[in-house]
Amino acid sequence: MKRILSGMQPTYQLHLGNYLGALQNWVNLQGTGNQCLYCVVDMHAITMPYERDGLSKASREIAAAYIAAGVDPAQSSIFVQSAVGDLHAELMWYLATMTQLGKLDRMTQFKDKAGKNAEKAGLGLYAYPVLMAADILIYQATHVPVGEDQKQHLELTRDVASTFNHRYGRDFFTLPDPMIMGEATRVMSLRDGTQKMSKSAESDLSRINLTDTPDMIADKIKRAKTDPLALPDTVDGLEGRPEAANLITIYAALSGLTKAQVVAEFAGKPFSDFKPKLAELTVAKIAPITEKMRHLLAEPQEIDAILVKGAETARSIAAPVVAEVKDIMGFWKV
Ligand code: AQP
């Protein structure tokens, strides 16, 4: 049996990159004998400045987005990280004692988020990958579906798990495999095809949010940056054309076609022909999710009940793992 674990931060609204790079794959991984655990990683969300009064609501909204996108609470456990936070934070501390600073120094997400002011960044932001390792290892996850940007953090997780196993001479932690699936492993900004589509990017025009109306989606795609050339007739022809490559990638991921099939369909056409088709497809996929989210959020107590149940399942897996880690590490017990 595969045990699948993944999570998203309740920071701002989820966007098309989160959906295509991760969420859509989570949905497809359900059933077929997999045990799926999908977490709202709110303890990660506080590593950057955030609004205290909005945090709890944001966690509920992310859970609603999971369900609206097709994560089925009857098949998957959906929970909020801080509801099992005592165990995640405890394991993080143990793992922190065997994580080399040199490895954390190489993490590109920290560099991107800390920016030029790294000296002023918080310890939490720096230690984020260690908490992420704890989030995964605490469930002995075998597979972690993520976008391309999280690959480096997954490598660190495997590294820390190996260090633990080696140091204590026990084959205890499962080494999780990243699952980087589908055509859209890295969806780029609509304003700059060299930058990742991101929740925290300043311009809202750079991303399609899962809560955007059909008109907003159509408008953002219409205004998406392109180049003056027509669409190429081979995938190789997208080389050096980041914006065109991104829009083709999005179309492929939304339609379930390969990039080659999309390129073949639109070969030689101008963006003015392609963009309305892309907008239509995006609206067809996103609008039902937005609508379902709205319904779910009208009954927050139902979301809470799902999250309570999910946290119980999560705790029932995590608590014995932490107890065994303590035992292996030699802590006092009666
Ligand atoms: N642009 C993207 N393309 C493909 N996958 C993406 N993911 C994020 N952006 C893209 C995947 O979404 C999952 C959840 O990500 P997260 O909530 O942990 O936040 P993040 O990776 O930090 O996403 P953002 O949008 O860039 O947030 P901010 O701006 O707050 O930092 C992960 O599996 C991620 O790979």
Side-chain angles (χ1 to χ4, degrees):
M1 182 191 71
K2 286 183 190 155
R3 185 175 284 157
I4 315 280
L5 180 283
S6 200
M8 296 201 188
Q9 300 181 67
T11 42
Y12 314 97
Q13 300 290 340
L14 294 189
H15 54 69
L16 194 61
N18 298 129
Y19 177 69
L20 294 176
L23 199 42
Q24 182 170 255
N25 301 325
W26 298 7
V27 174
N28 294 336
L29 285 164
Q30 295 182 115
T32 60
N34 296 334
Q35 182 181 19
C36 299
L37 298 154
Y38 296 129
C39 183
V40 178
V41 288
D42 56 347
M43 289 161 75
H44 288 277
I46 61 165
T47 56
M48 294 290 279
Y50 74 101
E51 272 181 42
R52 183 251 165 237
D53 291 343
L55 183 61
S56 166
K57 184 165 168 271
S59 292
R60 240 184 240 117
E61 281 172 4
I62 298 292
Y66 291 179
I67 301 165
V71 174
D72 174 6
Q75 293 189 67
S76 303
S77 298
I78 305 173
F79 64 101
V80 178
Q81 182 188 24
S82 62
V84 205
D86 48 337
L87 296 172
H88 285 236
E90 184 177 356
L91 181 60
M92 178 203 170
W93 178 251
Y94 303 148
L95 299 179
T97 63
M98 50 199 93
T99 307
Q100 291 173 2
L101 290 185
K103 292 197 171 140
L104 286 179
D105 282 341
R106 287 202 280 278
M107 295 293 121
T108 54
Q109 181 171 292
F110 173 76
K111 289 181 197 156
D112 290 347
K113 294 203 169 176
K116 293 195 187 85
N117 253 341
E119 287 285 307
K120 292 201 172 140
L123 175 62
L125 187 63
Y126 186 69
Y128 183 119
V130 192
L131 179 58
M132 183 166 156
D135 300 338
I136 296 166
L137 299 178
I138 206 166
Y139 299 107
Q140 296 281 28
T142 58
H143 293 82
V144 184
V146 283
E148 182 89 37
D149 60 324
Q150 292 298 327
K151 207 169 153 192
Q152 198 186 28
H153 287 167
L154 254 298
E155 276 159 17
L156 185 87
T157 300
R158 288 172 63 88
D159 202 72
V160 175
S162 300
T163 304
F164 180 95
N165 290 350
H166 186 255
R167 185 173 293 183
Y168 295 99
R170 289 275 299 269
D171 202 12
F172 178 70
F173 277 126
T174 305
L175 265 51
D177 284 319
M179 296 178 102
I180 298 175
M181 302 159 69
E183 289 284 356
T185 55
R186 192 172 170 82
V187 177
M188 308 309 278
S189 156
L190 298 180
R191 306 302 294 165
D192 176 353
T194 65
Q195 297 296 316
K196 189 181 85 144
M197 185 178 284
S198 160
K199 300 188 206 101
S200 53
E202 218 171 287
S203 167
D204 192 55
L205 288 174
S206 69
R207 64 186 159 257
I208 290 169
N209 303 303
L210 294 192
T211 48
D212 284 348
T213 62
D215 284 350
M216 286 162 84
I217 294 174
D219 184 54
K220 285 178 180 179
I221 291 178
K222 193 170 166 200
R223 293 164 71 174
K225 187 176 169 203
T226 48
D227 56 45
L229 305 176
L231 287 159
D233 47 15
T234 62
V235 174
D236 287 348
L238 293 168
E239 194 73 29
R241 300 179 62 186
E243 284 81 19
N246 188 36
L247 297 183
I248 293 283
T249 301
I250 293 173
Y251 193 103
L254 286 170
S255 62
L257 298 172
T258 62
K259 274 188 256 186
Q261 286 169 317
V262 180
V263 165
E265 191 177 331
F266 292 98
K269 299 245 168 74
F271 283 102
S272 54
D273 281 3
F274 174 71
K275 280 182 166 182
K277 294 266 190 270
L278 177 61
E280 207 177 292
L281 182 61
T282 312
V283 169
K285 200 79 180 192
I286 300 302
I289 298 178
T290 314
E291 183 59 15
K292 187 149 186 221
M293 260 179 90
R294 221 169 40 79
H295 279 291
L296 289 163
L297 289 168
E299 308 279 351
Q301 66 286 0
E302 284 188 19
I303 299 175
D304 287 346
I306 290 167
L307 294 174
V308 167
K309 189 161 166 271
E312 281 166 11
T313 304
R315 186 170 288 279
S316 72
I317 302 170
V321 171
V322 174
E324 202 169 342
V325 166
K326 288 177 76 174
D327 198 35
I328 292 171
M329 291 179 77
F331 282 102
W332 169 84
K333 70 171 184 187
V334 282

